[in-house]
Amino acid sequence: MQPLLCCALVLVWLSTAAWALSHIFDVREATITSVHDALFTHSATCRNIVSSFIARIEELNPSINAVISLNPLALSIADHLDQRLAAGNVTGALFCVTVLLKDNFDAVGMSTTGGCRGLAHNKPQADAPSVRALVDAGAVVLGKTNLHEMAFEGLTVSSLGGQTVNPYDLTRTPGGSSGGSGAAVAASFAVLATGTDTVNSLRSPASANSLFSFRPTRGLISRAGVIPVSSTQDTVGAMARNPSDLAVALSVMASVGFDPRDNVTALAPRQVPPQDYSASLYRGNLSGLRLGLLDGFFDHTTSIETMPVNNIMASMVSKLTETGVEIINITDPIYDTLAIAKLDVQAFEFKDLLNAYLTPTTANQVSRGHEVLRPTSFDELYNTDTGTGTTNFLVIPAQHHFIKKASYSSTRDAPYLETLNRIQDLTRALETTFTANNLDAIIYPEQKNLVVKIGSPSQSGRNGILAALTGHPVVCVPVGFSAPSEHAPVGVPIGMEILGRPWSEGLLLNIASHINELAPVRKMPPFVNGTVEPKAYESVPSLTPNVANIHTAYPLGVF
């Protein structure tokens, strides 16, 4: 290469890098609208935006441990979108919007691990349909988030990812199982993040991180391409920092429609074109709504962990009443969370579903040559060390009990069929409650107490089981914080669930939007609210999750 040409290319590169660094996109609390405003006013490129998020993750993730891996293709995807932008080919509701995936969603180019060491080399050959919908809408998948291993609990600790920390209180968990997604969105590591919900797992981290989330009606969004736990209870969804972004995420993920890989999607009403939930946000007002309040979903004892929740909920109920909402207290003894929790059927369904997911197919090939890249069955995962000489998975008492039960339980067991009948009874009772009281929705705190401390044996006090069993939709909204303390400078976030009738997502998002206007409470996490200097990346850096922070109460071991 001629010296003058070489110098010219260096100058061009330096000029480009200098421009990129001078056009800083502040990703803190970024929204779909702010990303698009920056792009369309040419104040930032897609590469600027994606690089800014990556720099923030690289700088702050070590303290929060929310992101388990980055997508090595993220910058090249951003460059492709910049080319489309320059050509005027800007389509898709999520054009250049950054999304993090809970690490149980299949996405080409990244492992799908479930946070489990035994699945570290699980390389899917096809995107989950919900992921493909996000990508087709223009989203940039930044990477994968930590979760409670295999989505079994709400502490968000895993053998591959370690312990994720709540960015509002570094001594507490971020909820779970989608806690990595919750902590990441709260810390502005992305605009949106996906999650799954088998009992509480989308709503628990939303509540604990001052976020909005949805658990859709069973059948609205395909669950294919996601590590399964329960065909009865599993759903997929998303988290965001505001209702508007959440509505866009729901619209995109639900646009998949019927998916033969997940036959429950046949239950959903077909709409052509797919429903735009954003159109539902700002219609009408709260006046005249009838909201049921589930008394059995509160812990009325006096403690420093329960009283903040009760006080915040009382304040919210008062605000709603002042705006013309009629609150109907529901005291039916059927709504006892301890009794309802006994209807959980995960352990009956998990083994068969995991076997089906791990069985090699054209969409998920596994090399079976001299090296076994990952287990191909439940028994291989939980009864061997895959020849690596390392342990496969994290063991906590509740999780060990679950895996043990799952190893000998199946959907052919008589107690399973009896439990399904009781779930149907509960579903009919819930419909009766709606009809008899002429309710628009039902409200209650997502968690009876503040999100638990790191090292706790379980995420106690959560209320998600009712929606999980009945398949009803829920939107979770932030409603306040506990009082500030030494460990929580702005307090610990508290969330409220809004449960509706099947297919009422539009109404629930409308209520959530009006509540957010009535009482906006979201605050940035104090430990990660500073700016991060951008970088001119040549390639996406790799991450090393902090597994050293796993509490001694959670040993690693082979089942």
Side-chain angles (χ1 to χ4, degrees):
M1 182 179 291
Q2 296 297 320
L4 288 177
L5 178 58
C6 180
C7 291
L9 290 175
V10 170
L11 288 173
V12 169
W13 184 87
L14 290 173
S15 175
T16 302
W19 185 91
L21 292 176
S22 65
H23 289 69
I24 298 172
F25 178 77
D26 189 351
V27 302
R28 293 177 301 172
E29 302 292 294
T31 65
I32 295 173
T33 297
S34 70
V35 167
H36 288 170
D37 284 348
L39 288 174
F40 303 149
T41 60
H42 305 292
S43 62
T45 65
C46 189
R47 176 174 267 260
N48 294 151
I49 292 167
V50 171
S51 295
S52 295
F53 277 107
I54 291 173
R56 186 168 178 84
I57 293 170
E58 191 177 23
E59 176 74 19
L60 298 175
N61 190 61
S63 63
I64 303 300
N65 212 41
V67 181
I68 209 168
S69 63
L70 289 174
N71 181 3
L73 300 176
L75 289 173
S76 61
I77 293 169
D79 290 340
H80 173 69
L81 293 175
D82 279 330
Q83 293 170 6
R84 286 178 50 187
L85 181 63
N89 178 21
V90 180
T91 57
L94 295 175
F95 190 89
C96 193
V97 172
T98 52
V99 176
L100 285 163
L101 306 176
K102 183 178 181 180
D103 200 7
N104 55 357
F105 283 74
D106 284 348
V108 174
M110 290 173 282
S111 294
T112 305
T113 72
C116 180
R117 287 186 178 187
L119 296 179
H121 301 293
N122 178 31
K123 295 276 190 182
Q125 300 302 307
D127 292 334
S130 55
V131 173
R132 175 45 48 186
L134 295 168
V135 171
D136 287 347
V140 178
V141 175
L142 273 185
K144 299 290 195 77
T145 58
N146 196 27
L147 63 154
H148 194 98
E149 187 149 325
M150 300 298 280
F152 290 154
E153 236 287 351
L155 303 170
T156 307
V157 59
S158 70
S159 59
L160 192 65
Q163 173 72 64
T164 299
V165 176
N166 192 306
Y168 290 91
D169 181 342
L170 304 184
T171 69
R172 293 182 185 265
T173 71
S177 62
S178 312
S181 291
V185 175
S188 294
F189 291 170
V191 176
L192 300 168
T194 67
T196 58
D197 192 311
T198 304
V199 182
N200 296 279
S201 300
L202 273 156
R203 297 157 287 158
S204 169
S207 173
N209 289 280
S210 196
L211 301 174
F212 296 82
S213 74
F214 64 82
R215 177 194 164 97
T217 307
R218 183 171 178 263
L220 182 63
I221 303 175
S222 172
R223 305 166 298 180
V226 178
I227 297 176
V229 178
S230 166
S231 57
T232 299
Q233 298 171 210
D234 283 351
T235 55
V236 302
M239 291 176 237
R241 291 181 290 270
N242 62 76
S244 178
D245 288 356
L246 192 69
V248 175
L250 175 59
S251 301
V252 170
M253 295 177 76
S255 68
V256 174
F258 172 70
D259 181 0
R261 293 174 59 193
D262 183 5
N263 58 15
V264 298
T265 56
L267 300 172
R270 297 277 76 84
Q271 297 192 8
V272 180
Q275 184 168 347
D276 178 8
Y277 290 97
S278 299
S280 304
L281 288 179
Y282 304 108
R283 296 171 182 163
N285 53 53
L286 293 171
S287 181
L289 287 178
R290 289 175 59 86
L291 301 180
L293 181 68
L294 290 186
D295 183 73
F297 281 32
F298 286 80
D299 184 340
H300 295 294
T301 61
T302 301
S303 77
I304 59 174
E305 297 294 312
T306 58
M307 290 309 296
V309 175
N310 294 339
N311 291 339
I312 289 294
M313 283 298 298
S315 175
M316 176 52 65
V317 167
S318 178
K319 289 183 175 72
L320 291 171
T321 302
E322 290 171 1
T323 65
V325 174
E326 187 171 356
I327 301 293
I328 296 86
N329 199 30
I330 306 297
T331 58
D332 191 322
I334 195 172
Y335 299 116
D336 178 304
T337 53
L338 293 178
I340 295 173
K342 295 178 181 178
L343 305 182
D344 190 313
V345 294
Q346 298 175 78
F348 293 105
E349 298 175 340
F350 175 60
K351 183 175 180 178
D352 288 345
L353 290 172
L354 185 64
N355 282 336
Y357 173 84
L358 292 177
T359 299
T361 66
T362 54
N364 195 358
Q365 293 291 345
V366 179
S367 172
R368 302 294 291 184
H370 296 293
E371 180 185 9
V372 178
L373 295 185
R374 70 149 170 82
T376 59
S377 69
F378 175 97
D379 288 337
E380 278 193 27
L381 178 61
Y382 288 113
N383 294 326
T384 72
D385 67 359
T386 64
T388 63
T390 60
T391 51
N392 271 347
F393 62 92
L394 191 69
V395 178
I396 63 172
Q399 189 159 323
H400 187 276
H401 173 76
F402 174 84
I403 296 168
K404 184 76 172 177
K405 183 177 180 181
S407 69
Y408 61 76
S409 300
S410 81
T411 55
R412 295 171 292 280
D413 297 347
Y416 172 70
L417 300 177
E418 294 169 6
T419 304
L420 290 183
N421 287 331
R422 293 172 63 195
I423 290 173
Q424 288 301 312
D425 291 341
L426 176 65
T427 304
R428 285 189 287 268
L430 182 58
E431 179 58 33
T432 297
T433 297
F434 268 97
T435 302
N437 294 283
N438 191 25
L439 299 178
D440 294 290
I442 291 173
I443 60 173
Y444 47 88
E446 199 292 321
Q447 196 157 341
K448 298 181 179 73
N449 43 267
L450 299 179
V451 66
V452 301
K453 294 277 191 176
I454 292 171
S456 298
S458 69
Q459 191 63 249
S460 61
R462 296 185 296 172
N463 289 322
I465 188 67
L466 179 62
L469 294 176
T470 62
H472 281 232
V474 171
V475 170
C476 187
V477 300
V479 289
F481 290 81
S482 67
S485 67
E486 175 188 357
H487 296 297
V490 299
V492 178
I494 295 165
M496 180 178 78
E497 293 195 21
I498 312 170
L499 181 146
R501 282 180 154 136
W503 323 115
S504 66
E505 280 82 357
L507 172 61
L508 300 183
L509 284 165
N510 177 272
I511 295 172
S513 179
H514 287 303
I515 287 176
N516 188 50
E517 291 178 345
L518 173 68
V521 300
R522 177 167 168 77
K523 303 172 186 176
M524 291 181 64
F527 298 108
V528 289
N529 64 2
T531 58
V532 174
E533 288 296 317
K535 297 181 181 180
Y537 291 102
E538 292 187 18
S539 61
V540 176
S542 60
L543 293 181
T544 303
N546 180 14
V547 294
N549 67 8
I550 297 176
H551 192 270
T552 54
Y554 314 138
L556 293 170
V558 176
F559 180 63

